[in-house]
Each structure stands twice: as C-alpha cells, then as structure tokens.
Amino acid sequence: MAPWRRKADGTGERASEADTIVPTPTQKHSICMVSDFFYPNMGGVESHIYQLSQCLMEKGHKVVIATHAYGRRKGVRYLTGGLKVYYLPLQVMYNQSTATSCFHSLPLLRCVFVREAVTVVHAHSSFSAMAHDALFHAKTMGLNTVFTDHSLFGFADMSSVLTNKLLTVSLCDTTHIVCVSYTSKENTVLRAALDPRIVSVIPNAVDPTDFTPDPARAPRGRITVVVISRLVYRKGEEGGGEEEGGGGYNTILYI
C-alpha cells in the first residue's frame, strides 16, 4: 500500500506507487547522506551517519556523504571502506549549522547528486540547514527522499516554533521519515503534522555484548549502573546518585 501524503492545501491523498521506494531484492541504490554534522565534528548524529553508511555499503549500496567544510578540510575525502565525503564550501552560521537561503547550496548539491547518480537523498537532523536544503533540491529533481530526526523539540519557545514550522514544510512530501525512538516518533509526528504511517522507528542502541562486566568482580549487595550520556536535562542528567535497592541488594549506585 502506498503511503498517505498531505497536499499543499492541507488535504490528504494516497501517494502513487511511483512516488514510493520499492526496491527489489537485487536493486541497489546510490544514496547521498546530507547533514551539517559529520566528522571531524563529534557527536551522535555524526557517528550515526558514519555507521549507517558503512552498513549500507556492506549491503552493496553506493553511499556518499555531503557536509560543509571544516577548517582546511575541503573538497573530497575518503574514509574507511572507500566511503566518499564531500566537504562543500558553505558558510557556517551557528553551532556548525550553515546559513541557508535555499538557493546558494543548489549548484553544489545538484552537482553531487548528478555526478554520483543519486537515487535516494537521506537527510539528517532538524537542526541542519543543509538537510532541509537537500530535501528541497532532491524533490525538484524527482529523487526519493528520507529524513532521520535525532532530537526532541518543545512547542512553546521561539526556537522550537520556528524549527517546527520549517520541518512542516520540509517533510510535507518526503518519501519516508525515520525516528530514533518511539517518543521521538510521537514528537516528530506532532511537530510536522505527519501521517504516522510514513514514519518508522529504528531505535538507537549499544551492543550489550561489548559491555559485559566481569561477574567475579561485582561487589556483593550492590548494583553499579553506568550511564553514558550528555549531561543535559532532557537526557535525564538529574537521575544520578544512589538509591535504596531491592531484591536482595542494599544499594543501587548510578555513575
């Protein structure tokens, strides 16, 4: 069944099969990941894009990444496995996000899409102006588009209101949207007035087998829980410390 799509007048319609991504078992895509946030900048979005690109390349797809220049890192660079990265000469406005007028990035992004014979444009992060630009330009070129939202937003402060309005325009005819948690999906659906049926959830997670402690070194009567997160309120930084245990344990220690 084709996904539901909202039209410009606010009414809905069922998208045609030609508008959807329906790969056959042998079909391979040429995918362009676009975001302002990528290495050498460090963060969750950056590592997510890199790891996802490596996995898609292992599946046989062609993947390139487009981001803005970081200092002297400009032009084309190659990472592990031959992952090709375009560091485009776009002006950074604030917090590694580029200034956008929607048109100044058109020649550069169009050149990348045509040169790499891109079939799917995958944009990342609501904060990224390049991501919104790429979605707009890809639609004008008739390319399939995917957007991954990595963050939660509010509905009251000025920054959230403006970003939510921009997101509503950017995602109005995006082929598919991916969120990193079910809470993120609910947040994005409300912010951008989306049909939940075109939003999928692929949760972020760590491989627990890489972090298995040595049971022989565990102290008796106490559980130690190590939390790795940014120390901000919306990530739950106020939840640390000690609390009374249960089930035979005297104390639960959070680090």
Side-chain angles (χ1 to χ4, degrees), residues 47-109:
S47 59
H48 177 103
I49 295 173
Y50 175 79
Q51 298 292 345
L52 176 60
S53 299
Q54 294 292 337
C55 291
L56 289 171
M57 291 170 65
E58 290 180 3
K59 294 289 186 180
H61 300 287
K62 176 183 177 182
V63 182
V64 298
I65 297 174
T67 186
H68 66 75
Y70 282 87
R72 294 189 298 175
R73 182 168 295 196
K74 301 176 182 179
V76 177
R77 302 293 179 95
Y78 288 89
L79 302 182
T80 304
L83 178 60
K84 190 175 184 179
V85 184
Y86 287 87
Y87 289 94
L88 305 178
L90 297 173
Q91 182 63 44
V92 174
M93 180 176 64
Y94 173 74
N95 198 25
Q96 295 302 336
S97 183
T98 54
T100 180
S101 64
C102 199
F103 297 105
H104 77 294
S105 60
L106 173 59
L108 294 171
L109 289 174

Side-chain angles (χ1 to χ4, degrees), residues 4 14 18 32 49 55 62 68 90 99 156 165 174 186 189 203 213 237 239:
W4 190 263
R14 186 71 65 185
C32 182
I49 295 173
C55 291
K62 176 183 177 182
H68 66 75
L90 297 173
K165 290 297 183 183
T174 298
E186 294 177 6
V189 167
E237 55 86 18

Side-chain angles (χ1 to χ4, degrees), residues 10 19 23 41 48 59 63 67 95 99 124 143 153 158-159 192 219 255:
D19 294 331
N41 197 51
H48 177 103
K59 294 289 186 180
V63 182
T67 186
N95 198 25
H124 291 261
L143 303 177
F153 275 81
M158 183 59 69
S159 174
I255 301 177

Side-chain angles (χ1 to χ4, degrees), residues 34-195:
V34 184
S35 181
D36 282 311
F37 313 113
F38 192 65
Y39 299 145
N41 197 51
M42 297 301 295
V45 176
E46 291 82 351
S47 59
H48 177 103
I49 295 173
Y50 175 79
Q51 298 292 345
L52 176 60
S53 299
Q54 294 292 337
C55 291
L56 289 171
M57 291 170 65
E58 290 180 3
K59 294 289 186 180
H61 300 287
K62 176 183 177 182
V63 182
V64 298
I65 297 174
T67 186
H68 66 75
Y70 282 87
R72 294 189 298 175
R73 182 168 295 196
K74 301 176 182 179
V76 177
R77 302 293 179 95
Y78 288 89
L79 302 182
T80 304
L83 178 60
K84 190 175 184 179
V85 184
Y86 287 87
Y87 289 94
L88 305 178
L90 297 173
Q91 182 63 44
V92 174
M93 180 176 64
Y94 173 74
N95 198 25
Q96 295 302 336
S97 183
T98 54
T100 180
S101 64
C102 199
F103 297 105
H104 77 294
S105 60
L106 173 59
L108 294 171
L109 289 174
R110 184 183 183 281
C111 178
V112 173
F113 297 161
V114 172
R115 175 183 291 183
E116 301 296 339
V118 170
T119 58
V120 178
V121 174
H122 191 166
H124 291 261
S125 183
S126 301
F127 290 107
S128 173
M130 276 190 71
H132 295 288
D133 286 358
L135 291 175
F136 178 82
H137 300 321
K139 294 165 193 172
T140 64
M141 297 174 65
L143 303 177
N144 290 307
T145 53
V146 179
F147 177 78
T148 296
D149 201 2
H150 295 261
S151 300
L152 302 177
F153 275 81
F155 298 89
D157 61 283
M158 183 59 69
S159 174
S160 296
V161 170
L162 293 175
T163 304
N164 294 345
K165 290 297 183 183
L166 176 61
L167 199 66
T168 301
V169 175
S170 295
L171 301 186
C172 65
D173 58 349
T174 298
T175 309
H176 205 77
I177 297 96
V178 179
C179 293
V180 296
S181 70
Y182 288 96
T183 301
S184 175
K185 174 180 177 178
E186 294 177 6
N187 184 260
T188 302
V189 167
L190 289 173
R191 288 161 49 212
L194 297 170
D195 181 353

Side-chain angles (χ1 to χ4, degrees), residues 202-232:
I202 304 178
N204 280 338
V206 296
D207 185 353
T209 59
D210 291 339
F211 299 91
T212 303
D214 183 2
R217 300 179 62 183
R220 294 184 178 180
R222 189 181 77 183
I223 296 178
T224 301
V225 179
V226 179
V227 179
I228 303 175
S229 177
R230 285 186 288 155
L231 297 179
V232 294

